[in-house]
Structure formats: structure tokens, C-alpha cells
């Protein structure tokens, strides 16, 4: 599929770094930022938001996806995820499953860290066999 990028990768990375500044991570001290670009060129920022009860914590990637979808956007071109880890880290399985609802196999996932290491993967490099919406929709046991 031909995708038009509205900004260069460096700009999108800067947006993810900005998003990370708002991370609320008093329990893990592991701050994550995400910048999700929709096909119309909007950027949806996300950060992780932790909770004293731990399990309600939401990751940066899901924050970005939920912000976008709640504003009517369901088609995306790229996501950048930034952490402060020594090497860029992958979105967790839950976030990948949430993304799988809206992105194709070759959707670019750009992982970076605060030291400037940048790695690019396609979505299925990170989640090889997602549970896809068409399976859920097309196979009802009546
Ligand atoms: N976290 C994310 O924001 N994204 C991920 O994909 C992995 C983990 C957050 C959740 C928690 O606030 C902190 O990182 C440590 O797990």
C-alpha cells in the first residue's frame, strides 16, 4: 500500500520524545512516549500513565491509539515509541494486540531511545500472528 508521510521521521521522533515528558511513572520510573501518525497527518501523542493499584496502568502506545480512535481516526501510517532504556524496547504484547486492530502486517514501528538509537520494524516482526478482527467478526458460534 502507498502511504504518504506528512513529516520526516526525525520530526515524529521529536514528537514522541515530547510525549514522554508527560509520562506519569512514579512506580516504575520507566517513562515511555509514543507518537502515532494518522493517514491525514495528525499526530496522536501518548505516554504511560501508572496507578498506585498497578494493574490500571496504561502504556504510552495504547494511550496514543485510544486518543486517536476516540477522535475518529482508525488508519495510521507509523508509530514511534521512545524509552530511556539502553536499547530501544518493543511495545508490550497488549499494546501490539491493540494496534493489530487498526494496522496492516507491514505497518512501520519505529523504536528509539533517549540516546538516539533508532530501529525500525514492521508490525509482524513484533507480533507474528496477531488475533485479527476478521477472525472475531467472521467466526461466530451461534
Ligand atoms: N510501558 C509502556 O508504556 N509501553 C510498553 O510497551 C511497555 C511498558 C510502560 C508501562 C509501565 O508504566 C512502565 O512502562 C513499566 O512497565
Amino acid at each position: 500500500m502507498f502511504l504518504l508521510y506528512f513529516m520526516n521521521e526525525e520530526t515524529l521522533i521529536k514528537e514522541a520524545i515530547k510525549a514522554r515528558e508527560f509520562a506519569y511513572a512514579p512506580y516504575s520510573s520507566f517513562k515511555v512516549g509514543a507518537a502515532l501518525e494518522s493517514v491525514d497527518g495528525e499526530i496522536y501523542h501518548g505516554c504511560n500513565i501508572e496507578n498506585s493499584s498497578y494493574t490500571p496502568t496504561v502504556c504510552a502506545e495504547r494511550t496514543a491509539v485510544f486518543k486517536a480512535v476516540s477522535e475518529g481516526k482508525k488508519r495510521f501510517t507509523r508509530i514511534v515509541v521512545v524509552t530511556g532504556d539502553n536499547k530501544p524496547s518493543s511495545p508490550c504484547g497488549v499494546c501490539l494486540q491493540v494496534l493489530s486492530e487498526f494496522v496492516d502486517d507491514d505497518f512501520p514501528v519505529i523504536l528509539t531511545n533517549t540516546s538516539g538509537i533508532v530501529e525500525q520494524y514492521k508490525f509482524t516482526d513484533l507480533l507474528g500472528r496477531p488475533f485479527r478482527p476478521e477472525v472475531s467478526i467472521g467466526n461466530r458460534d451461534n
Side-chain angles (χ1 to χ4, degrees), residues 34 90 98:
S90 172
V98 166

Side-chain angles (χ1 to χ4, degrees), residues 66-123:
F66 294 154
K67 281 174 71 180
V69 176
S70 68
E71 293 190 21
K73 305 297 171 63
K74 294 190 195 67
R75 294 182 57 223
F76 306 107
T77 48
R78 290 175 293 179
I79 190 169
V80 173
V81 181
V82 58
T83 71
D85 204 354
N86 289 336
K87 53 179 184 151
S89 55
S90 172
C92 76
V94 173
C95 288
L96 289 169
Q97 180 60 34
V98 166
L99 273 168
S100 77
E101 192 77 16
F102 305 106
V103 306
D104 295 328
D105 286 0
D106 55 0
F107 176 74
V109 180
I110 299 153
L111 305 178
T112 185
N113 65 3
T114 45
S115 319
I117 301 173
V118 180
E119 296 173 359
Q120 182 165 331
Y121 298 88
K122 60 175 183 144
F123 179 76

Side-chain angles (χ1 to χ4, degrees), residues 24-25 28 30-33 47-50 57-62 81 83 89-93 95:
Y24 177 73
S28 72
F30 187 78
K31 294 184 174 191
V32 187
C47 62
N48 51 333
I49 304 169
E50 298 187 344
T57 292
V58 178
C59 297
E61 299 88 327
R62 270 178 291 151
V81 181
T83 71
S89 55
S90 172
C92 76
C95 288

Side-chain angles (χ1 to χ4, degrees), residues 11-80:
T11 307
L12 199 59
I13 288 173
K14 282 198 183 122
E15 294 297 323
I17 292 168
K18 271 199 249 169
R20 184 175 174 270
E21 285 167 20
F22 294 118
Y24 177 73
Y27 306 104
S28 72
S29 295
F30 187 78
K31 294 184 174 191
V32 187
L36 177 66
E37 183 187 44
S38 58
V39 288
D40 60 349
E42 285 293 320
I43 303 172
Y44 293 89
H45 300 87
C47 62
N48 51 333
I49 304 169
E50 298 187 344
N51 188 273
S52 58
S53 186
Y54 286 52
T55 51
T57 292
V58 178
C59 297
E61 299 88 327
R62 270 178 291 151
T63 302
V65 173
F66 294 154
K67 281 174 71 180
V69 176
S70 68
E71 293 190 21
K73 305 297 171 63
K74 294 190 195 67
R75 294 182 57 223
F76 306 107
T77 48
R78 290 175 293 179
I79 190 169
V80 173

